[in-house]
Amino acid sequence: MNSTLKMLRPALVGFALLSAVTGLLYPAAVTGVARTLFPFQAEGSLVLRDGRVIGSELIGQSFSSPRYFWGRPSATAPMANNATGSSGSNQGPTNPALVDAVKARVEALKAADPDNRAPVPVDLVSASASGLDPHISMAAARYQAARVARERGLPVEAVQRLIQANTEARDLAVLGEPRVNVLKLNLALDKAPSAR
């Protein structure tokens, strides 16, 4: 019995110490450093309008009005862009359900802008792996520019300037592609003078 306690005691002390270091001290230190050096990001990159939180730069939001740019489809459950349930559809390219969903999304885009004959950018009809992507490609933004301009009574050139002004460059100048944050672009649209 005594030898068992001798063997068990170092294991329990090690467990308690490691739990304190990895479960309390390390997370507290990382949180403190993040809040000190990157306060905006550490608090969730929240976007405010009139002092009220309306979203995050990091999480996509659903926009359905033709007056707004639409983001990527979301496969999260039980609702689109559910930040507590990040997930993809896990449907492969030969899955009939994915093919049907993409066809329906293409039809919805064409119904919203029947005069648009340009090819539909893939990111407007396919969900990202997280289901929370807040960005669309520049091609996806340009595809929607004429519809948004028409709905808001703005010149297409003015909407295209807003797209350009809200385009984020590649990370570190080499990673990824230029992209447009849909929430930021739609907020900029709301600030733009409109004929309607």
Side-chain angles (χ1 to χ4, degrees):
M1 183 76 165
N2 206 8
S3 65
T4 304
L5 287 176
K6 277 186 177 182
M7 289 175 42
L8 190 58
R9 184 173 179 211
L12 291 175
V13 169
F15 174 76
L17 286 174
L18 285 173
S19 294
V21 169
T22 61
L24 298 173
L25 296 177
Y26 179 75
V30 169
T31 302
V33 168
R35 285 189 171 168
T36 302
L37 299 178
F38 309 104
F40 177 71
Q41 293 87 342
E43 295 297 325
S45 301
L46 300 178
V47 177
L48 304 173
R49 182 164 63 181
D50 301 325
R52 204 177 95 235
V53 175
I54 59 167
S56 168
E57 289 183 9
L58 305 175
I59 298 173
Q61 293 188 359
S62 296
F63 291 93
S64 57
S65 169
R67 293 175 48 85
Y68 288 103
F69 284 88
W70 299 341
R72 290 190 76 166
S74 174
T76 63
M79 63 201 172
N81 298 302
N82 178 9
T84 63
S86 172
S87 66
S89 69
N90 295 330
Q91 296 171 336
T94 59
N95 187 318
L98 178 63
V99 173
D100 292 342
V102 168
K103 284 181 184 175
R105 292 168 185 155
V106 168
E107 288 173 13
L109 286 164
K110 291 191 180 280
D113 192 6
D115 296 331
N116 192 341
R117 302 282 182 241
V120 176
V122 70
D123 55 325
L124 288 179
V125 295
S126 62
S128 66
S130 70
L132 302 173
D133 196 343
H135 298 95
I136 55 175
S137 65
M138 290 187 66
R142 287 186 189 123
Y143 179 86
Q144 300 179 74
R147 180 198 79 224
V148 171
R150 184 179 62 250
E151 291 290 330
R152 289 183 173 261
L154 292 170
V156 174
E157 296 78 22
V159 173
Q160 289 171 338
R161 282 193 299 273
L162 283 173
I163 292 170
Q164 193 62 42
N166 286 280
T167 297
E168 298 174 10
R170 294 176 167 156
D171 293 329
L172 303 174
V174 294
L175 299 175
E177 292 295 323
R179 61 209 175 272
V180 180
N181 186 292
V182 177
L183 177 59
K184 286 178 165 181
L185 177 57
N186 285 334
L187 289 174
L189 264 175
D190 283 344
K191 290 180 183 175
S194 177
R196 293 181 190 165

